[in-house]
Amino acid sequence: MAAANNKAQCFVCNKEKNTYNCKGCTNEFCFPHLTEHRQRIEIQLEAIINDHDQFQQTIIQQKQNPLNSSLIQQINQWETNSIHQIQQTAEECREKVMKSTQKLIDDVQKKFIELSQKLKEIREENEYNEIDLNNCQLKLKQITEEFLQPSNISIRQDLQEFIKKISVISSFDSYQSNRSAISTATISKNPITTNQITTQSQIEQKELQTKKNKFKQFAITVAGGIGKGQGLNQLYCPQGIFIDDNNKSIYIADSQNDRIVKLYLNSNTRQIIAGGNGIGNKINQLFRPIDIIFDKENNSFIISDLGNRRVIQFYDQNQANQQIIIANINCWGLTIDKNRYIYASDCQNHEVRRWKQGDKKGELVAGGNRQGNHLNQLNHPTYIFIDEDYSLYISDSDNHRVMKWKKGAKEGIIVAGGNGEGYSLKQLDHPQGLFVDHLGQIYVADYNNHRVMRWCEGNEEGEIVAGGNGEGNQSNQLNCPMGLSFDNVGNLYVVDQYNHRIRKYEKI
């Protein structure tokens, strides 16, 4: 900083005082504001040093754990998918061989019985000659050859590669002196699976796109947070939420109060728009509502009324205009695609079905193969999310994983967790709320770990974006988070269930 000048106008307070010139920004500051200016510069320096130290730590971790790089993970994923495809094809071939072999045995046995009957007849009648015996012997030889060397069953190997090889292309191989070269892997697309493979330019583009949002760790309470209760300023074990950016409002499934509450974010005005008339199954009552979504086409809301085993549709500020659209279903989570198909997770039947307006029975799109942990099974599915490509994401709660089912798929793939119940970065513990952003990053409420995790498909580990500081009610803690959502500027909203509040984590 330069020495004091004669009196001049301070850049901050615009008052004429003895000022000091900053050579960095060339502005004049009075002494108090000079001190503040200097503090901001020091904070900026600390931030740079912090980023420097974090990057240094990243380098150290990469050197210590080279197998954790994204390229190694791509290779591991290719290996896993290829092995799975080989095993699946082998199983299909075995099944086909067994069916064909059984049919062959049945045909041979039929011919053998006919030959046995012929031999029995000629022996009993005692009327046969050399020609008859030669014919019988020839027939027996034909049956034997047909059984031992079947001509209608064989193994064919296609000339086209089934699992294409991968290769690593590194500019270090050709240009040892080029210290800025980038090493990358190219993996040919498997013609059988839908394994996503990337070229060098695609990897660079993906790295550019996945600039991950960061959030302030000390959240703001936007609803509730003053203990459980029935007052309009209170919540009681809330579950699902929906953010209405157009009206700057948030809709909350206030589960234990059996109601849907609407909160205007700008004014803190609250109103009950559904339920709130005690526990019951009348059209103006709810019983443990869990989730809520919005149908833009007809400006209506859709609620999973779990306690009444139904899904209802209602119109804002008109409780009389409600109808049951899905009955006799233990629906937990809801989502809707751009064609207005409604997806409902059935936590009792361990499946997700898709419904269009007027359907009496939905179409099975995930699970439905009894309770289990195979890739075609679910175990107590809860919250769900549908993306623009109609890929369905499911919090497979009791399997401690998030599954992705592509449109028309017979089984899903694990995109988060799946390593048993636990609190490591590779694990989840009864995941709940789900949201997938436009970059494909998966946000999941990690219920019993009291945190919100972010996973990128193909990564072995997730990262903590909110909470993770133990169970509690402090501003950096959560207590069994449930639903979650985002507003249109990227702020994260989390239902902090047992703190009976909704938390807002502002994007940095």
Side-chain angles (χ1 to χ4, degrees):
M1 300 294 177
N5 299 326
N6 292 328
K7 288 189 176 182
Q9 215 175 42
C10 174
F11 178 74
V12 177
C13 64
N14 294 323
K15 295 180 180 179
E16 288 193 359
K17 297 181 177 181
N18 288 329
T19 59
Y20 301 81
N21 177 261
C22 174
K23 292 184 178 180
C25 65
T26 70
N27 291 321
E28 298 287 337
F29 299 92
C30 66
F31 186 75
H33 291 123
L34 175 68
T35 303
E36 292 179 4
H37 183 63
R38 184 65 185 177
Q39 288 174 346
R40 284 196 295 271
I41 293 175
E42 290 174 353
I43 291 172
Q44 185 178 0
L45 174 61
E46 289 299 322
I48 295 172
I49 292 174
N50 183 54
D51 290 343
H52 166 273
D53 292 344
Q54 288 184 2
F55 182 62
Q56 183 181 38
Q57 187 64 29
T58 301
I59 295 174
I60 294 172
Q61 290 175 353
Q62 187 63 44
K63 288 188 68 176
Q64 292 175 344
N65 301 290
L67 294 179
N68 287 339
S69 76
S70 61
L71 297 178
I72 293 295
Q73 291 171 9
Q74 286 186 63
I75 295 171
N76 294 342
Q77 188 64 48
W78 171 85
E79 179 185 32
T80 300
N81 291 343
S82 298
I83 292 172
H84 173 71
Q85 185 60 41
I86 292 170
Q87 291 174 335
Q88 183 179 7
T89 303
E91 182 61 29
E92 291 172 356
C93 289
R94 277 191 289 267
E95 184 177 351
K96 192 170 183 179
V97 166
M98 287 190 293
K99 288 181 179 179
S100 299
T101 301
Q102 187 59 51
K103 187 176 183 305
L104 171 67
I105 293 172
D106 292 342
D107 291 343
V108 169
Q109 190 172 31
K110 182 179 178 181
K111 294 176 183 178
F112 185 75
I113 291 174
E114 292 175 354
L115 177 60
S116 299
Q117 186 64 31
K118 178 69 174 177
L119 289 172
K120 181 179 178 182
E121 289 176 357
I122 63 176
R123 188 170 189 177
E124 289 178 350
E125 295 174 359
N126 201 23
E127 289 189 5
Y128 54 88
N129 53 35
E130 289 86 354
I131 296 175
D132 296 324
L133 296 179
N134 287 337
N135 289 336
C136 289
Q137 188 174 18
L138 180 61
K139 186 66 175 176
L140 179 60
K141 182 179 180 182
Q142 290 174 344
I143 295 174
T144 302
E145 290 178 351
E146 183 178 347
F147 181 73
L148 297 178
Q149 297 178 343
S151 60
N152 57 348
I153 306 176
S154 61
I155 302 297
R156 183 186 67 188
Q157 296 189 19
D158 293 335
L159 296 178
Q160 184 179 2
E161 291 179 343
F162 176 60
I163 302 296
K164 291 190 176 181
K165 69 178 183 179
I166 65 172
S167 60
V168 177
I169 299 175
S170 172
S171 54
F172 286 109
D173 296 337
S174 303
Y175 304 100
Q176 292 292 337
S177 62
N178 185 357
R179 304 180 67 87
S180 64
I182 300 174
S183 178
T184 185
T186 58
I187 308 175
S188 301
K189 186 176 181 182
N190 187 322
I192 305 300
T193 68
T194 55
N195 182 23
Q196 183 178 0
I197 311 304
T198 54
T199 64
Q200 178 172 349
S201 63
Q202 288 172 328
I203 290 175
E204 293 170 351
Q205 184 179 10
K206 184 175 181 182
E207 291 174 348
L208 181 64
Q209 288 177 339
T210 54
K211 296 290 185 182
K212 298 175 182 177
N213 291 335
K214 294 183 179 179
F215 303 92
K216 294 181 179 179
Q217 292 305 296
F218 294 91
I220 301 169
T221 297
V222 296
I226 54 175
K228 64 185 179 184
Q230 297 179 350
L232 264 182
N233 62 343
Q234 293 179 298
L235 299 171
Y236 190 177
C237 291
Q239 302 265 7
I241 55 172
F242 171 77
I243 307 295
D244 183 357
D245 287 306
N246 294 329
N247 296 315
K248 302 297 180 184
S249 57
I250 179 172
Y251 295 79
I252 306 165
D254 191 9
S255 183
Q256 293 293 327
N257 281 326
D258 309 297
R259 66 189 184 185
I260 303 296
V261 176
K262 180 178 181 179
L263 167 67
Y264 292 92
L265 295 173
N266 291 337
S267 66
N268 272 344
T269 302
R270 300 170 175 85
Q271 64 182 118
I272 299 170
I273 61 170
N277 298 303
I279 295 175
N281 59 6
K282 295 179 181 178
I283 200 64
N284 67 340
Q285 292 179 306
L286 297 172
F287 182 19
R288 303 295 181 263
I290 298 293
D291 203 8
I292 179 171
I293 59 174
F294 182 58
D295 184 355
K296 295 180 181 179
E297 187 72 19
N298 56 19
N299 197 33
S300 67
F301 288 88
I302 300 167
I303 306 170
S304 57
D305 190 12
L306 180 65
N308 284 320
R309 300 189 68 248
R310 65 187 183 183
V311 175
I312 65 172
Q313 185 177 39
F314 77 100
Y315 297 84
D316 195 356
Q317 299 179 351
N318 190 358
Q319 287 205 44
N321 191 4
Q322 299 182 18
Q323 60 177 334
I324 299 171
I325 57 175
I326 306 175
N328 300 318
I329 181 174
N330 287 283
C331 175
W332 191 287
L334 291 167
T335 190
I336 188 169
D337 67 22
K338 55 190 175 185
N339 293 325
R340 298 181 61 223
Y341 282 85
I342 298 169
Y343 297 73
S345 65
D346 189 332
C347 57
Q348 184 179 41
N349 291 319
H350 313 288
E351 64 185 22
V352 179
R353 289 187 175 271
R354 181 177 66 183
W355 307 72
K356 67 179 179 180
Q357 298 292 337
D359 273 358
K360 297 297 181 184
K361 185 177 181 181
E363 175 189 0
L364 181 68
V365 293
N369 296 299
R370 300 184 303 277
Q371 179 181 10
N373 61 3
H374 295 297
L375 293 179
N376 67 341
Q377 293 178 307
L378 298 170
N379 189 355
H380 197 84
T382 55
Y383 291 89
I384 54 180
F385 184 94
I386 193 83
D387 68 12
E388 289 293 312
D389 297 324
Y390 304 99
S391 290
L392 181 67
Y393 295 79
I394 306 165
S395 278
D396 191 10
S397 180
D398 286 358
N399 281 327
H400 315 290
R401 66 190 184 184
V402 175
M403 300 292 288
K404 177 182 179 181
W405 290 65
K406 295 185 178 180
K407 184 180 180 181
K410 299 300 182 184
E411 62 181 31
I413 58 175
I414 301 171
V415 293
N419 296 300
E421 177 182 355
Y423 56 85
S424 78
L425 294 180
K426 295 183 178 181
Q427 295 175 301
L428 297 169
D429 191 344
H430 292 88
Q432 298 293 329
L434 265 183
F435 191 93
V436 182
D437 67 16
H438 67 285
L439 296 176
Q441 297 178 121
I442 304 153
Y443 292 80
V444 55
D446 193 5
Y447 184 77
N448 279 336
N449 286 323
H450 315 291
R451 64 190 183 185
V452 176
M453 300 285 288
R454 176 169 57 200
W455 294 68
C456 294
E457 185 176 340
N459 287 2
E460 291 185 1
E461 291 186 350
E463 59 180 326
I464 301 170
V465 296
N469 298 302
E471 174 186 343
N473 59 5
Q474 300 301 311
S475 58
N476 67 341
Q477 291 180 306
L478 296 167
N479 190 350
C480 296
M482 293 294 289
L484 55 83
S485 189
F486 285 84
D487 62 22
N488 57 1
V489 294
N491 297 316
L492 170 64
Y493 293 77
V494 181
V495 177
D496 192 6
Q497 186 186 26
Y498 288 122
N499 284 324
H500 315 288
R501 63 188 182 183
I502 309 299
R503 305 287 278 163
K504 176 183 177 182
Y505 291 84
E506 293 183 317
K507 185 179 78 168
I508 301 174

